[in-house]
Amino acid sequence: MTFGASLLFAKSLIFPRAEKKSSARRSLWGALLCIGLSIVPLIVVLSVTNGMIQGMTDRIIGLSSSDIQAYISPKLPETAQADTYREYVKNYFNIDGVKEVHPEIGITALAAGKKMRTGAQLRAVNTDIFIKNQAFKDLFTITEGDINDFAGATTDDQVEKKAVIGQKMSELLDLHSGDTFRIVTIKTVNGKQSPKLTSFKVSAIVSSGYQELDALWIFIPLETVYDFVSLSNASFTVMIGTGNSYSPDLVRIQKALKTKYGKYANFYRWDQVHEAEFENFSSTKVMLVFVMILIVLVASINISSAIVMLVMERRKEIAILKSIGATPSGITFSFILTGVSCALGGLAVGLPLGLLAAVNANEIVHFIEKAVNFFAKVGYLIKGIPVEEIKIIKLMDPAYYLQTIPVNLPISQVLLISIATVLLALLVSIVPSVKAGKEKPLDILRKA
């Protein structure tokens, strides 16, 4: 049996000339549809998960630690004043590959607004960090106020107590641009510790798109922290940017920094500083992909059952073909082609639908949210619950996810999924196809 003859027989199995009812064909088309429908959520999950993880990763790296973070010993004499601290960190530019350095002093404090208090991480930074730090420029969105007001907080004569806060923190404390709030810290005087209240004016409110970060940070001028905070519990750090967070050259830069400046500082790459978070991201992604692949596997098994039914329906044709010289391998190949064609058809249906759904993920989520809230509102009103007590339902709570879903189409992973789907279809088609090739024509014709 020639290759061409096997192709013609496979074509007749999929598109028979005689229009008659066939349970096997319906099963075959059903398997095709199942594969297509299973591919759609797999692509959407991969795209959304990749986008979410990449978006969170970029924000955690760019806004928190940068590519490399230096932890400076408070015993270093240069940390005693803001000016000498700035001059010290400029030395890091001597290392090849270092593009940005931003000194910082961090301390845990309590922020008190109009209605409530909340814990906060004070980050004393250069007032021009929102202008000179590329990650801050790209990832922070100014929702209220003027960031230039904060940049002008430091003058030759005095340092104004101004601050930049996250949008979520502004909501918690009921603050707006121009409002004044208080920061509660611990001040040590003559060996005794006591709380100290310091008032700050909100210069600007910013949003990173990730509420977990927006609810935590308060940015204040670097000079200010020396005036009202006991630095014995403060952490002196430096954000070191290299221009490429994922470059293998980070290891070399880290080693060079340790070699030259390791006496008073420890240097860690971003993947070391945030190791726990990124392991959590990776395990979540792997688990989601594993579940989606199981769905594709179940859909592929339908191909096997469809081919079994097809073999049973076409036993006479198989007997006739073998009687006139068709080989077992030729018959087997025809049925394998049928199973693989079913998988390819499923991909042809699922891939474009999956990519289309992934690109419009934000619109789809918003539409579903509106529908869910509409029906929930109707249900609450029927129960007699007042409208003002009805809470809006969020499918993806921005407290735990990014406010806007970043879509990152994983082209290489989509290609891998396509190849895996075809291989799965090939594997599940082998056993019933081999049995079809071993059918004995004399036994079939006697029973006919």
Side-chain angles (χ1 to χ4, degrees), residues 62-76:
L63 305 180
S64 179
S65 66
S66 197
D67 303 333
I68 297 174
Q69 189 166 31
Y71 289 84
I72 312 297
S73 170
K75 295 180 181 180
L76 181 70

Side-chain angles (χ1 to χ4, degrees), residues 74 105-107 225 229-236:
I105 300 175
I107 192 165
V225 76
V229 175
S230 175
L231 297 181
S232 58
N233 296 322
S235 61
F236 295 82

Side-chain angles (χ1 to χ4, degrees), residues 368-378 391-394:
I368 296 174
E369 279 184 351
K370 287 181 179 179
V372 170
N373 280 287
F374 173 77
F375 288 111
K377 186 176 180 180
V378 171
K391 295 183 179 179
I392 298 176
I393 300 172
K394 290 286 187 181

Side-chain angles (χ1 to χ4, degrees), residues 52-108:
M52 280 288 187
I53 291 177
Q54 189 63 50
M56 292 178 181
T57 300
D58 289 343
R59 283 160 175 79
I60 291 174
I61 296 173
L63 305 180
S64 179
S65 66
S66 197
D67 303 333
I68 297 174
Q69 189 166 31
Y71 289 84
I72 312 297
S73 170
K75 295 180 181 180
L76 181 70
E78 286 82 350
T79 61
Q81 295 180 4
D83 291 337
T84 55
Y85 188 22
R86 286 195 188 94
E87 290 302 316
Y88 166 75
V89 301
K90 287 180 181 177
N91 293 323
Y92 294 166
F93 283 118
N94 296 328
I95 302 300
D96 181 40
V98 173
K99 302 296 174 72
E100 293 184 21
V101 291
H102 302 282
E104 181 177 328
I105 300 175
I107 192 165
T108 303

Side-chain angles (χ1 to χ4, degrees), residues 103-417:
E104 181 177 328
I105 300 175
I107 192 165
T108 303
L110 189 66
K114 298 176 181 178
K115 296 181 179 180
M116 65 174 291
R117 298 177 179 179
T118 182
Q121 179 69 27
L122 287 185
R123 298 181 63 181
V125 294
N126 288 333
T127 54
D128 59 359
I129 192 170
F130 289 90
I131 299 172
K132 292 187 176 181
N133 187 313
Q134 192 60 45
F136 277 52
K137 288 173 62 177
D138 294 341
L139 299 176
F140 272 128
T141 302
I142 302 169
T143 59
E144 278 190 48
D146 184 5
I147 205 67
N148 291 318
D149 182 54
F150 180 72
T154 304
T155 64
D156 295 334
D157 300 325
Q158 62 179 351
V159 178
E160 297 183 73
K161 289 184 171 60
K162 295 185 178 181
V164 174
I165 63 176
Q167 185 176 10
K168 183 61 178 178
M169 180 168 287
S170 71
E171 294 172 1
L172 292 172
L173 302 180
D174 191 20
L175 295 174
H176 297 277
S177 175
D179 289 349
T180 300
F181 70 103
R182 293 172 298 172
I183 292 177
V184 184
T185 54
I186 300 298
K187 185 73 173 180
T188 303
V189 180
N190 297 325
K192 296 182 179 180
Q193 292 184 335
S194 60
K196 179 177 177 60
L197 292 176
T198 309
S199 295
F200 279 81
K201 179 183 176 182
V202 179
S203 292
I205 297 172
V206 296
S207 172
S208 66
Y210 190 15
Q211 286 192 8
E212 186 174 335
L213 301 181
D214 294 344
L216 179 65
W217 293 332
I218 295 177
F219 298 93
I220 61 175
L222 188 64
E223 288 84 355
T224 308
V225 76
Y226 286 90
D227 297 334
F228 73 99
V229 175
S230 175
L231 297 181
S232 58
N233 296 322
S235 61
F236 295 82
T237 59
V238 183
M239 298 171 65
I240 303 172
T242 63
N244 185 356
S245 303
Y246 305 96
S247 171
D249 202 36
L250 282 182
V251 176
R252 179 195 63 79
I253 298 173
Q254 179 193 23
K255 288 181 178 179
L257 287 166
K258 281 183 176 180
T259 300
K260 194 164 186 179
Y261 304 105
K263 183 178 180 180
Y264 290 102
N266 291 318
F267 299 88
Y268 299 95
R269 300 187 310 275
W270 63 265
D271 56 326
Q272 295 172 321
V273 176
H274 308 290
E275 184 178 2
E277 291 95 328
F278 298 121
E279 283 186 357
N280 183 37
F281 289 160
S282 299
S283 60
T284 300
K285 181 179 176 181
V286 169
M287 183 58 65
L288 286 172
V289 172
F290 177 72
V291 172
M292 292 296 105
I293 289 177
L294 285 181
I295 295 174
V296 176
L297 177 60
V298 171
S300 300
I301 292 175
N302 290 333
I303 296 176
S304 180
S305 59
I307 290 178
V308 170
M309 295 178 66
L310 195 61
V311 170
M312 293 176 64
E313 284 189 356
R314 297 300 185 94
R315 293 186 73 193
K316 286 186 179 180
E317 291 183 34
I318 294 171
I320 293 171
L321 287 172
K322 296 192 75 172
S323 299
I324 60 176
T327 60
S329 59
I331 298 294
T332 299
F333 184 62
S334 296
F335 280 97
I336 289 177
L337 280 178
T338 302
V340 172
S341 299
C342 184
L344 292 173
L347 289 172
V349 172
L351 286 178
L353 289 177
L355 293 173
L356 185 65
V359 170
N360 296 282
N362 286 288
E363 289 77 9
I364 292 172
V365 170
H366 291 158
F367 174 78
I368 296 174
E369 279 184 351
K370 287 181 179 179
V372 170
N373 280 287
F374 173 77
F375 288 111
K377 186 176 180 180
V378 171
Y380 288 140
L381 291 175
I382 292 174
K383 292 179 180 179
I385 299 176
V387 177
E388 58 272 11
E389 294 183 10
I390 299 175
K391 295 183 179 179
I392 298 176
I393 300 172
K394 290 286 187 181
L395 295 182
M396 301 187 73
D397 192 337
Y400 307 103
Y401 303 98
L402 297 180
Q403 292 175 344
T404 301
I405 301 173
V407 177
N408 183 4
L409 296 177
I411 303 301
S412 59
Q413 294 177 3
V414 169
L415 181 61
L416 184 63
I417 290 168

